[in-house]
Each structure stands twice: as C-alpha cells, then as structure tokens.
Amino acid sequence: MAEKTRVLVVDDEPSMCNYLRTLLAQYGFHCISVQNGDDAVRQVQAFKPTVVVLDVLMPGKDGLRTLEEIKAVRPDVSVIMLSAHGRAQTIVKAMKLGANDFLNKPFDPEELNFTITKVLDRLELASEVRSLKEQIQEQTSYQLLFGENERMHHVRQMIDQVAKTDVTVLIRGESGTGKEVVARTLFQESHRRDKPFVKINCAALPEQLLESELFGYERGAFTGANLRKQGKFELANHGTIFLDEISEMHPALQAKLLQVLQDGEFSRLGGEGDVSVDVRVLAATNRDLQKAVREGHFREDLYYRLNVVSVTLPPLRERRDEIPLLVDHFLTRYSRQYNRPYRPLTEETMRRFMTYHWPGNVRELENMIKRAVVLGNESAIHTEFALRSREIEPEAQAVAAAASVAAETPIEADGDRPVSLKDVGREAARKAEREVISQVLNWTRWNRKEAAEILQISYKALLYKIKENELDRHPA
C-alpha cells in the first residue's frame, strides 16, 4: 500500500487546526498540526511533510518568518500560505521566500484539496523531468564510458559484479577519466537507486566546513549556527554518498569517517549523542593512496575500509578508440547548447586527437571541443595543441601556435642581430594567446565570467590577461 502524502498544518487557532486535520484526512492525506512557528520548523525536520499549510498571521513568529526558516532547513518542501487578509505585498513576499501557493480565508474545502493536489502535480512533473534528464545523461555517459574498448569492458564487468551489493568501492583514475560516471552507474544499478545520491568534493572545502557539511551541526555549535543542520550523511540515509577526492580529507576527519564505515554512527558538530545512518559509501581519488599511507598523509585503517573493491579507470591515451565517439558526442551537445551549426572536425584535427597525450583526459577533450564550437573554427584547437602538447619542445610549441593564428605578423630582427628561436617562440605564444582571448571575449560580448569559464582560467587570471594583452580598451 502506497504511503499517504504527509501534510503539516500550522495555525495558532486550535479550532482551525482540528478542522484542517479532519478535512485533509477525508481527502486521504496523513496530517498533523502545530500552533506556532518554532514547532513547525521542528516538525518539518521530524515529521518530514511533503506539503505545509501555513497561516500568515500568528503571534510571535509570524508565517513569513516561519516560511523563511522552513525553507532554510527543507528547501524542497512545498508550502501553501493561508491568510484572512490577502494583501498583494504579503503574497509577493511569500512567493519570493519560496511559497508555492496562497489561499485566502475563508476558503472552500474543495479549493484547499485542489490547491494541494496542484502542488503535488507540480512536484511530480518536476520529478519526472529530472528523472528523464538524468536517464538521458546516464545513457549518454554509459555509452561514452563503456564503449567497445577492452579495458573499459573489464571496468564494466567489475561494476556488474558489485553494483547490487552494499560493498564500499574505491574508484581510481587520473583527473577527467570519468570517475563520477562510474559512481553514478554503481548507484543507478544498485537496490538503492530510488534513494538519495549525495556527492561531496573533499578538496573543495576547508576542514571545519567539510566536517559540518558531512556530519551536520547542532544549534549553537558555532557562531551563526542558529538552527540544527543535517549533514550529507544524514541526507544520504538509506542511499549512497560519493566522496570525491577522498585523499584530500584532513586526518582528523578521516577518523570520523572510519567510525561511520565501521559502526554506521557519527556525532554532529557540537552534538552529544550519536546519529545512526545506513549509507553506502563510494570514494574516488586521482592520487596513489598507498603512497599517501606510507607518507603518513592517509590512515591505513581507513584505506583498507575504503578499498574493499577497487575500480581503476585507464586514461584516455590508453583507450584512444573511444575518441571519435566522444568527439561526435561533444560536437552535437555543444552545437545544440550554443546554437551553433554542427561541423565535423577535419581529418588533420582528428589525426592530432588520436596522437595527443591527453593529460586532462576526457575533460580536456570536452573543453577543446567546446571552444571550437563557440569560436566556429578549429584554430583554437590547433593553438591549444601547439601550446600544450607534450610531443614538442616549448619553443616549437609556440612556433606552431603562431602558425595557427591567421593574423600573424612577421617578427623583425633587431638590426643585424638574428632573432633566437626562443624569442620567436615567446612572441608567437603571446600573439596566439591574445588572439584566442580576443575571440572568446568578442563571442561572449565581453561577458568576462563566461569567457573565463570557456578558457578554463579563473576570472582574476582573465582580468590580468586582458590587461597584459592590452585588450581592456573595449568600450563599455
């Protein structure tokens, strides 16, 4: 039997609470009620309603303040506001705070049922759209990751063997090889696929913030902790958590993670009791964890807990037969995304792709294709190869880069003194860099943030490059 939709009623009048509980029970909802904002916030976390019916006018903490706090702890919950005074200003403010609908008191019983049903239909539609997008992305990623390559076939066999178990899996591989795709495939083929999948990058946050993100915190645990917050492990309960770049986790947190793996328990930051969870752990690293253990940077007991099953992804240079499939996929994807015509790559470019070392693996290939689509030609790819290829010396790289820039001007010698190859290379590299930056800035209409993303450099670095190449004279 399907579980009834949970509805939380929040109104300071006991008679209204009783009326709404009875009415909503008749319509087939599982309903409870509270009479103030503080209890509402607590029940949103404890009762976990799908919909909250919230009165605007309440003594003490009013409905708008309560709505704000509810959305802080449960952004996904749907809230329907009730008010005897449906002022436009109040309605607008409620919608800005995240309310899903608004009803004026008194209301017809069928109107309330219709409104809740409408909100639930929106949730279902949004869920279906998300699911469809995820399926399309997963199918595409699956095809890209598990083509006909023999080494990837072994990866696929390993995934088939362990996906439907709860065993911890350590996914190894260089940056950009597709470790997250493997993690999501393991999740999608497990019996937990209908439960949460939570990802966190252990290298993206400092130690204190990472601890609070992973394990949550109690109210008052530190300055600014006004409410209890659930951590990623609680959010992933009964589902799967993916710890990316696990090697970057601080040793103090490694001990706490070990406790979760051993006992399924942890304590929130500032908490006194333990929290129990049932979570499958997947971890990924681009570093040699055994070396990190030997050097004292990673706990040996945690390493053995994580390394129950190991899946190693080969770099792109060791599965070159996948490159044509990847190229076609990214050309199609970004041509559609940036509204540009689909143009197959020339044979010369594909030849370079098949012989390039690919230190950045699939991610590097994707970004090269993205720039080529955005700029509408392959000169950016040839410049990229010339500047980054490991197959030629740095000076020769710059000379090759110069050849890829159509507007190149000759470099004059200083009097009778011949120009060295290093000087030629340096000047050519500068001109090539200036040309690519200029093209991307013009294409993005000087949206520097978007240009920095396309060029794969930080916003601050792009501002420096604009000034260094005297490109900062663009009219505002």
Side-chain angles (χ1 to χ4, degrees):
M1 183 176 177
E3 184 180 357
K4 293 181 179 180
T5 299
R6 298 186 179 197
V7 180
L8 172 65
V9 171
V10 187
D11 198 299
D12 61 300
E13 296 180 17
S15 59
M16 178 58 72
C17 286
N18 292 334
Y19 168 72
L20 288 175
R21 279 202 318 273
T22 304
L23 180 64
L24 292 172
Q26 291 175 357
Y27 289 133
F29 299 111
H30 178 197
C31 179
I32 67 169
S33 64
V34 294
Q35 295 175 22
N36 61 71
D38 289 329
D39 287 341
V41 174
R42 280 192 285 270
Q43 287 299 335
V44 161
Q45 294 175 291
F47 180 59
K48 298 188 184 305
T50 303
V51 179
V52 176
V53 178
L54 174 61
D55 190 27
V56 171
L57 297 177
M58 295 189 297
K61 185 179 293 181
D62 67 8
L64 293 177
R65 175 69 186 281
T66 302
L67 169 63
E68 191 173 10
E69 293 188 9
I70 285 174
K71 286 293 182 178
V73 297
R74 281 278 311 281
D76 60 321
V77 72
S78 295
V79 181
I80 299 170
M81 305 298 293
L82 300 179
S83 178
H85 308 285
R87 298 187 181 93
Q89 185 178 2
T90 303
I91 296 173
V92 170
K93 188 171 182 181
M95 294 304 180
K96 285 183 177 179
L97 290 172
N100 298 82
D101 220 317
F102 203 101
L103 279 178
N104 287 318
K105 293 180 179 178
F107 51 82
D108 185 89
E110 284 297 328
E111 187 180 5
L112 176 62
N113 184 36
F114 174 79
T115 302
I116 294 177
T117 303
K118 184 172 62 174
V119 167
L120 293 173
D121 287 343
R122 287 180 200 152
L123 286 174
E124 185 177 0
L125 179 60
S127 176
E128 288 175 357
V129 170
R130 271 196 313 271
S131 177
L132 182 59
K133 286 182 177 179
E134 288 171 359
Q135 286 176 24
I136 292 171
Q137 182 61 40
E138 285 158 10
Q139 288 169 3
T140 303
S141 300
Y142 177 90
Q143 291 168 355
L144 293 176
L145 187 60
F146 308 114
E148 299 301 321
N149 181 269
E150 184 178 352
R151 293 192 63 181
M152 295 307 294
H153 180 66
H154 293 310
V155 172
R156 176 67 219 176
Q157 286 183 319
M158 180 66 74
I159 290 174
D160 286 341
Q161 290 172 354
V162 303
K164 290 180 171 59
T165 71
D166 280 338
V167 68
T168 303
V169 180
L170 180 62
I171 308 165
R172 307 170 188 256
E174 295 178 9
S175 293
T177 50
K179 296 187 291 295
E180 184 175 345
V181 176
V182 170
R184 289 188 178 275
T185 304
L186 284 164
F187 166 69
Q188 283 298 325
E189 299 194 4
S190 73
H191 65 274
R192 297 174 182 258
R193 60 183 171 273
D194 295 327
K195 303 300 181 182
F197 178 89
V198 178
K199 174 195 171 184
I200 189 162
N201 188 320
C202 300
L205 300 170
E207 177 195 353
Q208 186 80 1
L209 188 53
L210 180 59
E211 181 176 6
S212 66
E213 281 295 307
L214 283 172
F215 305 110
Y217 54 79
E218 296 288 349
R219 181 177 181 178
F222 50 84
T223 303
N226 300 320
L227 295 168
R228 171 192 286 177
K229 178 185 175 182
Q230 289 184 318
K232 299 295 187 186
F233 270 99
E234 282 182 89
L235 295 175
N237 195 24
H238 303 300
T240 302
I241 191 166
F242 174 47
L243 304 174
D244 199 9
E245 298 195 54
I246 187 71
S247 59
E248 306 306 312
M249 182 178 285
H250 192 276
L253 285 184
Q254 291 177 26
K256 201 163 183 177
L257 175 59
L258 181 64
Q259 181 189 2
V260 181
L261 291 171
Q262 288 176 333
D263 307 322
E265 294 182 343
F266 62 89
S267 58
R268 298 189 191 97
L269 199 64
E272 297 180 357
D274 287 335
V275 179
S276 297
V277 289
D278 170 25
V279 177
R280 184 187 191 180
V281 176
L282 307 176
T285 181
N286 59 7
R287 291 182 54 192
D288 184 346
L289 280 189
Q290 289 173 301
K291 182 180 178 183
V293 169
R294 290 194 300 270
E295 294 174 350
H297 300 308
F298 202 82
R299 292 180 63 111
E300 185 175 21
D301 46 5
L302 177 59
Y303 169 72
Y304 287 117
R305 278 283 178 180
L306 290 171
N307 194 37
V308 178
V309 171
S310 179
V311 175
T312 302
L313 285 170
L316 184 58
R317 59 186 171 274
E318 295 179 10
R319 43 183 169 119
R320 297 181 188 273
D321 51 334
E322 292 185 333
I323 291 175
L325 178 65
L326 289 163
V327 167
D328 181 68
H329 166 70
F330 292 132
L331 282 172
T332 302
R333 174 180 174 183
Y334 290 113
S335 295
R336 186 181 299 118
Q337 179 175 328
Y338 293 115
N339 195 27
R340 311 289 276 187
Y342 177 95
R343 291 192 181 97
L345 298 185
T346 63
E347 290 185 10
E348 171 61 18
T349 299
M350 284 301 301
R351 184 188 66 80
R352 297 293 299 275
F353 273 25
M354 298 303 291
T355 58
Y356 181 54
H357 189 65
W358 296 112
N361 294 291
V362 178
R363 190 178 296 122
E364 183 182 13
L365 171 64
E366 179 180 2
N367 284 310
M368 275 196 186
I369 298 296
K370 185 190 293 187
R371 283 192 286 277
V373 170
V374 165
L375 298 175
N377 59 67
E378 297 176 22
S379 64
I381 292 180
H382 292 292
T383 299
E384 187 91 4
F385 275 129
L387 292 172
R388 298 172 64 178
S389 176
R390 297 180 181 179
E391 300 168 355
I392 52 179
E393 293 299 318
E395 291 84 359
Q397 289 182 20
V399 174
S404 72
V405 180
E408 206 67 271
T409 57
I411 301 172
E412 301 291 338
D414 183 11
D416 295 331
R417 179 176 176 270
V419 179
S420 72
L421 183 59
K422 184 177 291 186
D423 291 336
V424 173
R426 189 179 298 113
E427 179 65 13
R430 187 188 67 79
K431 289 186 177 183
E433 179 181 81
R434 187 181 193 280
E435 178 71 15
V436 171
I437 293 173
S438 177
Q439 288 185 50
V440 174
L441 285 169
N442 287 331
W443 187 85
T444 61
R445 294 181 176 84
W446 276 72
N447 183 324
R448 295 166 178 82
K449 184 177 180 182
E450 186 177 352
E453 182 180 343
I454 292 171
L455 291 166
Q456 256 194 308
I457 60 176
S458 69
Y459 180 76
K460 187 175 180 181
L462 176 60
L463 295 182
Y464 174 80
K465 292 289 185 183
I466 290 173
K467 185 175 181 180
E468 181 185 46
N469 287 285
E470 298 183 346
L471 293 168
D472 54 344
R473 297 171 187 171
H474 180 80

